[in-house]
Amino acid sequence: MSEQPTTMTTTVTTVAVGVARISWDAGQPVDVVRHEVVAALLDHDRVEALVDPADEAAQRTATWSGMRREGVMRGVPVDGAPADRIVYARLASDLPTHEPEGFRALLNSFLPRKRAISQLLMRDESERVLLCQLTYKQDWDLPGGVVEVGESPQVAVGREVEEELGLVITPGPLVLTDWLPPWSGWDDALCLVFDGGVRPASILEQVVRQEREIRSAEFCTLEQVDERCADFTARRVRSALTNLDGRGSSYTESGR
C-alpha cells in the first residue's frame, strides 16, 4: 500500500480587535502562507506570526510571505515554558511587496543593523583633550553619544555636545572609525570620532552640564586620559590624535 500524503495546515486566529495571528506546519509552501496572510488582511488590520529563532525555514517563510520582522518577544509561553519568539507582521496599510518601496521595506526589516556612536575630539592650546566624567559609569569618555535612527553621525555629535555641555560646536571631518566588539551585554557598534578643533581652555567656562549624564568636563593630558578612561577609550583617543595629520590608520578595532 502506498502512503497517504501528509496534509499540512495553516491556522489563522483572531487574537485581538483587528489582529490575526498565523501559524503553519513545517514545509508549508510560501505561496500558501502568503495567500492566507492576504486573506486575513481583508478582515484585520494586522497579521502577525511568532517564529522560533532556531527555525530558519519558518523565518524565510514569514519573510517571503510579506511579513516584516519587528523584533524578538522574550518569554512567550510555549508548551508551558517561556521561550523567545521572533515577531513578524504585515499591516493592511503596508505597501505591496511587488512595489520597489514595499520590497525595500521588507528587506530593511530583517537585514543587520549596527549601532553608531559619534564622539568629538576637541583639544586646547596645550594639546590636552576634552573629556567628560559621566554619571552612569566610572571611566571618563570623549563627549558625544548614540546616533539616532535616520540621523547623520556628524549632526549627531554636534547635537550631543550641545545637549550635554551646552556648547555649539560645528564638527569637523571624520578622524577615526573605531569598531567596538560586543561587550558586557552590549551589541557591537561603530564609534565615529570627528575633529572638534583646537579651542581655548576658557571654553570650559561656557559649559552648561546636563547633570543627569555629565559630572564634569576637563581638558586632560594623555597621561590623564590613560588614568581616567577605559583602556579601549584611551587607545581610541591616541589613535584619533595620531590620525589628525594622516599619520595613523583611519580605522581601528577597540582602538587598535
Side-chain angles (χ1 to χ4, degrees):
M1 295 178 61
S2 60
E3 294 184 2
Q4 295 297 316
T6 301
T7 301
M8 292 179 288
T9 61
T10 300
T11 304
V12 177
T13 306
T14 299
V15 294
V17 177
V19 180
R21 185 168 296 164
I22 186 170
S23 60
W24 56 89
D25 290 338
Q28 185 72 282
V30 171
D31 288 347
V32 173
V33 179
R34 184 188 300 118
H35 173 79
E36 294 294 341
V37 169
V38 172
L41 286 173
L42 295 175
D43 301 312
H44 299 84
D45 298 318
R46 171 187 173 90
V47 177
E48 63 183 26
L50 305 182
V51 179
D52 187 340
D55 192 342
E56 295 183 0
Q59 293 173 48
R60 288 193 294 270
T61 298
T63 298
W64 301 122
S65 66
M67 290 186 285
R68 301 182 192 179
R69 176 174 171 143
E70 295 186 337
V72 177
M73 186 182 296
R74 299 182 300 143
V76 178
V78 177
D79 297 328
D84 293 350
R85 288 293 182 263
I86 303 174
V87 181
Y88 289 85
R90 182 160 188 82
L91 307 183
S93 58
D94 286 343
L95 289 174
T97 56
H98 64 263
E99 295 185 13
E101 187 175 347
F103 184 65
R104 288 193 295 268
L106 180 67
L107 294 181
N108 187 65
S109 74
F110 69 84
L111 288 175
R113 299 180 183 183
K114 196 174 295 292
R115 182 178 295 112
I117 301 166
S118 285
Q119 294 186 325
L120 198 67
L121 183 70
M122 189 189 306
R123 291 88 61 211
D124 68 1
E125 306 97 321
S126 301
E127 298 184 355
R128 297 179 300 176
V129 176
L130 181 65
L131 292 180
C132 294
Q133 183 183 25
L134 306 174
T135 61
Y136 50 87
K137 62 180 181 178
Q138 295 298 315
D139 45 278
W140 294 49
D141 211 341
L142 292 170
V146 175
V147 181
E148 300 291 345
V149 176
E151 183 181 37
S152 152
Q154 194 169 37
V155 169
V157 72
R159 172 185 56 76
E160 286 283 349
V161 169
E162 184 173 2
E163 289 176 357
E164 294 182 348
L165 300 176
L167 298 177
V168 179
I169 303 291
T170 300
L174 180 67
V175 176
L176 183 72
T177 300
D178 187 30
W179 178 69
L180 308 178
W183 175 78
S184 189
W186 287 104
D187 291 337
D188 70 324
L190 288 176
C191 185
L192 307 173
V193 183
F194 291 89
D195 186 4
V198 176
R199 312 282 170 171
S202 60
I203 196 172
L204 293 179
E205 299 172 4
Q206 303 173 30
V207 167
V208 179
R209 293 180 296 111
Q210 184 184 59
E211 295 186 359
R212 189 177 69 251
E213 296 189 20
I214 308 297
R215 284 198 177 96
S216 62
E218 295 180 23
F219 282 107
C220 300
T221 65
L222 284 180
E223 290 74 18
Q224 290 174 312
V225 169
D226 292 337
E227 291 171 0
R228 297 178 176 186
C229 296
D231 56 356
F232 54 86
T233 301
R235 290 194 299 267
R236 183 186 313 132
V237 170
R238 288 179 176 271
S239 295
L241 287 169
T242 301
N243 199 48
L244 277 171
D245 57 6
R247 291 184 292 117
S249 172
S250 61
Y251 172 77
T252 56
E253 296 188 353
S254 195
R256 296 186 176 93

mmCIF file of all heavy atoms in Angstrom, residues 138-177:
data_model
loop_
_atom_site.group_PDB
_atom_site.id
_atom_site.type_symbol
_atom_site.label_atom_id
_atom_site.label_comp_id
_atom_site.label_asym_id
_atom_site.label_seq_id
_atom_site.Cartn_x
_atom_site.Cartn_y
_atom_site.Cartn_z
ATOM 1 N N GLN A 138 32.104 54.644 35.671
ATOM 2 C CA GLN A 138 33.247 55.159 36.414
ATOM 3 C C GLN A 138 34.253 55.883 35.528
ATOM 4 O O GLN A 138 34.837 56.880 35.923
ATOM 5 C CB GLN A 138 33.947 54.009 37.150
ATOM 6 C CG GLN A 138 33.101 53.362 38.237
ATOM 7 C CD GLN A 138 32.736 54.349 39.339
ATOM 8 O OE1 GLN A 138 33.577 55.103 39.811
ATOM 9 N NE2 GLN A 138 31.474 54.327 39.756
ATOM 10 N N ASP A 139 34.483 55.357 34.327
ATOM 11 C CA ASP A 139 35.528 55.920 33.480
ATOM 12 C C ASP A 139 35.046 57.139 32.696
ATOM 13 O O ASP A 139 33.851 57.313 32.465
ATOM 14 C CB ASP A 139 36.090 54.847 32.531
ATOM 15 C CG ASP A 139 35.001 54.021 31.867
ATOM 16 O OD1 ASP A 139 34.507 53.078 32.511
ATOM 17 O OD2 ASP A 139 34.621 54.340 30.722
ATOM 18 N N TRP A 140 35.996 57.960 32.304
ATOM 19 C CA TRP A 140 35.715 59.159 31.531
ATOM 20 C C TRP A 140 35.680 58.818 30.048
ATOM 21 O O TRP A 140 36.145 57.762 29.626
ATOM 22 C CB TRP A 140 36.800 60.205 31.786
ATOM 23 C CG TRP A 140 36.852 60.743 33.195
ATOM 24 C CD1 TRP A 140 36.859 60.022 34.349
ATOM 25 C CD2 TRP A 140 36.921 62.122 33.573
ATOM 26 N NE1 TRP A 140 36.924 60.850 35.429
ATOM 27 C CE2 TRP A 140 36.973 62.154 35.004
ATOM 28 C CE3 TRP A 140 36.956 63.326 32.878
ATOM 29 C CZ2 TRP A 140 37.051 63.338 35.718
ATOM 30 C CZ3 TRP A 140 37.043 64.516 33.596
ATOM 31 C CH2 TRP A 140 37.083 64.523 34.997
ATOM 32 N N ASP A 141 35.133 59.738 29.250
ATOM 33 C CA ASP A 141 34.998 59.459 27.822
ATOM 34 C C ASP A 141 34.997 60.772 27.036
ATOM 35 O O ASP A 141 34.815 61.865 27.606
ATOM 36 C CB ASP A 141 33.702 58.692 27.552
ATOM 37 C CG ASP A 141 33.812 57.755 26.353
ATOM 38 O OD1 ASP A 141 34.721 57.951 25.519
ATOM 39 O OD2 ASP A 141 32.985 56.828 26.263
ATOM 40 N N LEU A 142 35.162 60.652 25.733
ATOM 41 C CA LEU A 142 35.016 61.807 24.859
ATOM 42 C C LEU A 142 33.558 62.251 24.846
ATOM 43 O O LEU A 142 32.652 61.428 25.002
ATOM 44 C CB LEU A 142 35.455 61.454 23.432
ATOM 45 C CG LEU A 142 36.935 61.166 23.201
ATOM 46 C CD1 LEU A 142 37.136 60.606 21.796
ATOM 47 C CD2 LEU A 142 37.773 62.418 23.396
ATOM 48 N N PRO A 143 33.282 63.536 24.644
ATOM 49 C CA PRO A 143 31.885 63.972 24.530
ATOM 50 C C PRO A 143 31.240 63.395 23.270
ATOM 51 O O PRO A 143 31.900 63.218 22.247
ATOM 52 C CB PRO A 143 31.992 65.497 24.447
ATOM 53 C CG PRO A 143 33.386 65.766 23.989
ATOM 54 C CD PRO A 143 34.231 64.659 24.528
ATOM 55 N N GLY A 144 29.962 63.103 23.371
ATOM 56 C CA GLY A 144 29.238 62.544 22.223
ATOM 57 C C GLY A 144 28.160 61.596 22.693
ATOM 58 O O GLY A 144 27.779 61.586 23.864
ATOM 59 N N GLY A 145 27.670 60.774 21.791
ATOM 60 C CA GLY A 145 26.615 59.836 22.157
ATOM 61 C C GLY A 145 26.112 59.039 20.975
ATOM 62 O O GLY A 145 26.688 59.076 19.878
ATOM 63 N N VAL A 146 25.022 58.334 21.194
ATOM 64 C CA VAL A 146 24.457 57.419 20.197
ATOM 65 C C VAL A 146 23.760 58.202 19.089
ATOM 66 O O VAL A 146 23.033 59.167 19.350
ATOM 67 C CB VAL A 146 23.472 56.440 20.864
ATOM 68 C CG1 VAL A 146 22.791 55.560 19.827
ATOM 69 C CG2 VAL A 146 24.191 55.584 21.896
ATOM 70 N N VAL A 147 23.978 57.775 17.859
ATOM 71 C CA VAL A 147 23.329 58.377 16.692
ATOM 72 C C VAL A 147 21.892 57.868 16.621
ATOM 73 O O VAL A 147 21.638 56.662 16.702
ATOM 74 C CB VAL A 147 24.086 58.014 15.401
ATOM 75 C CG1 VAL A 147 23.421 58.662 14.186
ATOM 76 C CG2 VAL A 147 25.552 58.437 15.505
ATOM 77 N N GLU A 148 20.945 58.792 16.486
ATOM 78 C CA GLU A 148 19.542 58.396 16.377
ATOM 79 C C GLU A 148 19.265 57.773 15.011
ATOM 80 O O GLU A 148 20.004 57.992 14.042
ATOM 81 C CB GLU A 148 18.632 59.614 16.572
ATOM 82 C CG GLU A 148 18.781 60.311 17.918
ATOM 83 C CD GLU A 148 18.273 59.475 19.076
ATOM 84 O OE1 GLU A 148 17.551 58.488 18.821
ATOM 85 O OE2 GLU A 148 18.600 59.798 20.231
ATOM 86 N N VAL A 149 18.185 56.995 14.927
ATOM 87 C CA VAL A 149 17.793 56.385 13.656
ATOM 88 C C VAL A 149 17.522 57.482 12.620
ATOM 89 O O VAL A 149 16.789 58.443 12.898
ATOM 90 C CB VAL A 149 16.540 55.508 13.837
ATOM 91 C CG1 VAL A 149 16.072 54.964 12.491
ATOM 92 C CG2 VAL A 149 16.827 54.364 14.808
ATOM 93 N N GLY A 150 18.139 57.373 11.473
ATOM 94 C CA GLY A 150 17.926 58.340 10.397
ATOM 95 C C GLY A 150 18.706 59.633 10.558
ATOM 96 O O GLY A 150 18.532 60.558 9.755
ATOM 97 N N GLU A 151 19.575 59.708 11.576
ATOM 98 C CA GLU A 151 20.329 60.935 11.843
ATOM 99 C C GLU A 151 21.740 60.826 11.288
ATOM 100 O O GLU A 151 22.388 59.782 11.372
ATOM 101 C CB GLU A 151 20.381 61.182 13.348
ATOM 102 C CG GLU A 151 21.079 62.475 13.761
ATOM 103 C CD GLU A 151 21.123 62.662 15.267
ATOM 104 O OE1 GLU A 151 21.286 61.654 15.983
ATOM 105 O OE2 GLU A 151 20.969 63.807 15.727
ATOM 106 N N SER A 152 22.249 61.922 10.743
ATOM 107 C CA SER A 152 23.637 61.982 10.303
ATOM 108 C C SER A 152 24.567 61.874 11.505
ATOM 109 O O SER A 152 24.371 62.577 12.506
ATOM 110 C CB SER A 152 23.890 63.304 9.571
ATOM 111 O OG SER A 152 25.242 63.710 9.687
ATOM 112 N N PRO A 153 25.603 61.013 11.456
ATOM 113 C CA PRO A 153 26.546 60.927 12.577
ATOM 114 C C PRO A 153 27.225 62.261 12.887
ATOM 115 O O PRO A 153 27.473 62.575 14.058
ATOM 116 C CB PRO A 153 27.564 59.885 12.100
ATOM 117 C CG PRO A 153 26.801 59.022 11.154
ATOM 118 C CD PRO A 153 25.871 59.976 10.444
ATOM 119 N N GLN A 154 27.492 63.061 11.855
ATOM 120 C CA GLN A 154 28.137 64.354 12.081
ATOM 121 C C GLN A 154 27.180 65.324 12.774
ATOM 122 O O GLN A 154 27.568 66.064 13.681
ATOM 123 C CB GLN A 154 28.631 64.936 10.763
ATOM 124 C CG GLN A 154 29.594 66.104 10.929
ATOM 125 C CD GLN A 154 30.258 66.476 9.608
ATOM 126 O OE1 GLN A 154 29.630 66.414 8.552
ATOM 127 N NE2 GLN A 154 31.519 66.860 9.675
ATOM 128 N N VAL A 155 25.927 65.293 12.374
ATOM 129 C CA VAL A 155 24.913 66.109 13.047
ATOM 130 C C VAL A 155 24.727 65.616 14.482
ATOM 131 O O VAL A 155 24.574 66.404 15.420
ATOM 132 C CB VAL A 155 23.582 66.067 12.275
ATOM 133 C CG1 VAL A 155 22.452 66.674 13.097
ATOM 134 C CG2 VAL A 155 23.715 66.802 10.947
ATOM 135 N N ALA A 156 24.757 64.298 14.664
ATOM 136 C CA ALA A 156 24.511 63.709 15.984
ATOM 137 C C ALA A 156 25.525 64.185 17.014
ATOM 138 O O ALA A 156 25.163 64.502 18.154
ATOM 139 C CB ALA A 156 24.534 62.186 15.894
ATOM 140 N N VAL A 157 26.812 64.240 16.638
ATOM 141 C CA VAL A 157 27.818 64.618 17.624
ATOM 142 C C VAL A 157 27.664 66.087 18.017
ATOM 143 O O VAL A 157 27.831 66.451 19.188
ATOM 144 C CB VAL A 157 29.242 64.300 17.120
ATOM 145 C CG1 VAL A 157 29.687 65.236 16.026
ATOM 146 C CG2 VAL A 157 30.223 64.333 18.283
ATOM 147 N N GLY A 158 27.300 66.936 17.056
ATOM 148 C CA GLY A 158 27.031 68.331 17.400
ATOM 149 C C GLY A 158 25.839 68.463 18.325
ATOM 150 O O GLY A 158 25.858 69.247 19.289
ATOM 151 N N ARG A 159 24.798 67.670 18.061
ATOM 152 C CA ARG A 159 23.599 67.692 18.917
ATOM 153 C C ARG A 159 23.933 67.221 20.328
ATOM 154 O O ARG A 159 23.527 67.836 21.321
ATOM 155 C CB ARG A 159 22.518 66.787 18.313
ATOM 156 C CG ARG A 159 21.320 66.589 19.221
ATOM 157 C CD ARG A 159 20.316 65.602 18.647
ATOM 158 N NE ARG A 159 20.887 64.301 18.346
ATOM 159 C CZ ARG A 159 21.188 63.381 19.256
ATOM 160 N NH1 ARG A 159 20.998 63.621 20.557
ATOM 161 N NH2 ARG A 159 21.702 62.204 18.895
ATOM 162 N N GLU A 160 24.687 66.121 20.435
ATOM 163 C CA GLU A 160 25.021 65.574 21.749
ATOM 164 C C GLU A 160 25.867 66.549 22.564
ATOM 165 O O GLU A 160 25.648 66.715 23.774
ATOM 166 C CB GLU A 160 25.767 64.241 21.583
ATOM 167 C CG GLU A 160 24.884 63.069 21.166
ATOM 168 C CD GLU A 160 24.070 62.526 22.321
ATOM 169 O OE1 GLU A 160 24.325 62.915 23.477
ATOM 170 O OE2 GLU A 160 23.157 61.709 22.076
ATOM 171 N N VAL A 161 26.837 67.186 21.926
ATOM 172 C CA VAL A 161 27.698 68.134 22.640
ATOM 173 C C VAL A 161 26.884 69.328 23.134
ATOM 174 O O VAL A 161 27.076 69.821 24.254
ATOM 175 C CB VAL A 161 28.864 68.583 21.740
ATOM 176 C CG1 VAL A 161 29.621 69.756 22.359
ATOM 177 C CG2 VAL A 161 29.824 67.413 21.500
ATOM 178 N N GLU A 162 25.931 69.776 22.319
ATOM 179 C CA GLU A 162 25.091 70.894 22.740
ATOM 180 C C GLU A 162 24.168 70.475 23.880
ATOM 181 O O GLU A 162 23.975 71.228 24.846
ATOM 182 C CB GLU A 162 24.274 71.418 21.566
ATOM 183 C CG GLU A 162 23.443 72.639 21.913
ATOM 184 C CD GLU A 162 22.744 73.268 20.712
ATOM 185 O OE1 GLU A 162 22.882 72.725 19.587
ATOM 186 O OE2 GLU A 162 22.064 74.288 20.899
ATOM 187 N N GLU A 163 23.597 69.264 23.791
ATOM 188 C CA GLU A 163 22.689 68.801 24.839
ATOM 189 C C GLU A 163 23.419 68.550 26.160
ATOM 190 O O GLU A 163 22.905 68.873 27.233
ATOM 191 C CB GLU A 163 22.000 67.503 24.391
ATOM 192 C CG GLU A 163 20.972 67.690 23.283
ATOM 193 C CD GLU A 163 20.376 66.384 22.805
ATOM 194 O OE1 GLU A 163 20.808 65.306 23.301
ATOM 195 O OE2 GLU A 163 19.489 66.407 21.947
ATOM 196 N N GLU A 164 24.622 67.965 26.093
ATOM 197 C CA GLU A 164 25.313 67.546 27.307
ATOM 198 C C GLU A 164 26.160 68.654 27.929
ATOM 199 O O GLU A 164 26.320 68.700 29.149
ATOM 200 C CB GLU A 164 26.196 66.338 27.004
ATOM 201 C CG GLU A 164 25.406 65.083 26.622
ATOM 202 C CD GLU A 164 26.296 63.895 26.365
ATOM 203 O OE1 GLU A 164 27.539 64.083 26.262
ATOM 204 O OE2 GLU A 164 25.782 62.771 26.268
ATOM 205 N N LEU A 165 26.723 69.531 27.070
ATOM 206 C CA LEU A 165 27.657 70.539 27.573
ATOM 207 C C LEU A 165 27.211 71.972 27.301
ATOM 208 O O LEU A 165 27.855 72.922 27.758
ATOM 209 C CB LEU A 165 29.046 70.317 26.955
ATOM 210 C CG LEU A 165 29.700 68.960 27.248
ATOM 211 C CD1 LEU A 165 31.015 68.847 26.497
ATOM 212 C CD2 LEU A 165 29.901 68.760 28.737
ATOM 213 N N GLY A 166 26.148 72.147 26.527
ATOM 214 C CA GLY A 166 25.682 73.491 26.200
ATOM 215 C C GLY A 166 26.595 74.231 25.242
ATOM 216 O O GLY A 166 26.497 75.446 25.110
ATOM 217 N N LEU A 167 27.476 73.512 24.545
ATOM 218 C CA LEU A 167 28.406 74.132 23.597
ATOM 219 C C LEU A 167 27.921 73.911 22.169
ATOM 220 O O LEU A 167 27.575 72.785 21.800
ATOM 221 C CB LEU A 167 29.808 73.530 23.745
ATOM 222 C CG LEU A 167 30.494 73.716 25.102
ATOM 223 C CD1 LEU A 167 31.843 72.991 25.108
ATOM 224 C CD2 LEU A 167 30.678 75.190 25.432
ATOM 225 N N VAL A 168 27.886 74.971 21.389
ATOM 226 C CA VAL A 168 27.506 74.857 19.977
ATOM 227 C C VAL A 168 28.799 74.778 19.167
ATOM 228 O O VAL A 168 29.503 75.770 18.978
ATOM 229 C CB VAL A 168 26.651 76.055 19.526
ATOM 230 C CG1 VAL A 168 26.298 75.916 18.050
ATOM 231 C CG2 VAL A 168 25.382 76.149 20.374
ATOM 232 N N ILE A 169 29.127 73.574 18.738
ATOM 233 C CA ILE A 169 30.362 73.304 18.008
ATOM 234 C C ILE A 169 30.005 72.696 16.658
ATOM 235 O O ILE A 169 29.193 71.764 16.587
ATOM 236 C CB ILE A 169 31.263 72.317 18.771
ATOM 237 C CG1 ILE A 169 31.581 72.847 20.170
ATOM 238 C CG2 ILE A 169 32.535 72.024 17.986
ATOM 239 C CD1 ILE A 169 32.485 74.048 20.201
ATOM 240 N N THR A 170 30.606 73.217 15.600
ATOM 241 C CA THR A 170 30.427 72.609 14.279
ATOM 242 C C THR A 170 31.483 71.524 14.106
ATOM 243 O O THR A 170 32.680 71.827 14.037
ATOM 244 C CB THR A 170 30.576 73.648 13.163
ATOM 245 O OG1 THR A 170 29.591 74.667 13.341
ATOM 246 C CG2 THR A 170 30.388 72.999 11.798
ATOM 247 N N PRO A 171 31.078 70.263 14.066
ATOM 248 C CA PRO A 171 32.063 69.185 13.956
ATOM 249 C C PRO A 171 32.834 69.259 12.638
ATOM 250 O O PRO A 171 32.271 69.572 11.588
ATOM 251 C CB PRO A 171 31.218 67.912 14.022
ATOM 252 C CG PRO A 171 29.912 68.344 14.598
ATOM 253 C CD PRO A 171 29.709 69.742 14.139
ATOM 254 N N GLY A 172 34.118 68.973 12.714
ATOM 255 C CA GLY A 172 34.949 68.931 11.518
ATOM 256 C C GLY A 172 34.903 67.558 10.868
ATOM 257 O O GLY A 172 33.976 66.781 11.095
ATOM 258 N N PRO A 173 35.927 67.231 10.082
ATOM 259 C CA PRO A 173 35.941 65.958 9.346
ATOM 260 C C PRO A 173 36.027 64.743 10.273
ATOM 261 O O PRO A 173 36.436 64.844 11.439
ATOM 262 C CB PRO A 173 37.207 66.066 8.476
ATOM 263 C CG PRO A 173 37.567 67.503 8.466
ATOM 264 C CD PRO A 173 37.088 68.081 9.752
ATOM 265 N N LEU A 174 35.676 63.606 9.723
ATOM 266 C CA LEU A 174 35.811 62.338 10.437
ATOM 267 C C LEU A 174 37.297 62.023 10.599
ATOM 268 O O LEU A 174 38.056 62.047 9.634
ATOM 269 C CB LEU A 174 35.110 61.221 9.656
ATOM 270 C CG LEU A 174 35.152 59.821 10.258
ATOM 271 C CD1 LEU A 174 34.354 59.770 11.556
ATOM 272 C CD2 LEU A 174 34.602 58.799 9.256
ATOM 273 N N VAL A 175 37.691 61.737 11.824
ATOM 274 C CA VAL A 175 39.090 61.444 12.123
ATOM 275 C C VAL A 175 39.335 59.940 12.232
ATOM 276 O O VAL A 175 40.359 59.432 11.785
ATOM 277 C CB VAL A 175 39.515 62.132 13.444
ATOM 278 C CG1 VAL A 175 40.945 61.753 13.810
ATOM 279 C CG2 VAL A 175 39.372 63.631 13.338
ATOM 280 N N LEU A 176 38.369 59.216 12.821
ATOM 281 C CA LEU A 176 38.593 57.801 13.102
ATOM 282 C C LEU A 176 37.277 57.046 13.111
ATOM 283 O O LEU A 176 36.264 57.543 13.611
ATOM 284 C CB LEU A 176 39.275 57.647 14.478
ATOM 285 C CG LEU A 176 39.646 56.230 14.916
ATOM 286 C CD1 LEU A 176 40.832 55.715 14.106
ATOM 287 C CD2 LEU A 176 39.960 56.187 16.415
ATOM 288 N N THR A 177 37.307 55.841 12.563
ATOM 289 C CA THR A 177 36.214 54.885 12.710
ATOM 290 C C THR A 177 36.735 53.737 13.560
ATOM 291 O O THR A 177 37.695 53.057 13.176
ATOM 292 C CB THR A 177 35.742 54.352 11.346
ATOM 293 O OG1 THR A 177 35.275 55.443 10.543
ATOM 294 C CG2 THR A 177 34.623 53.340 11.524
#
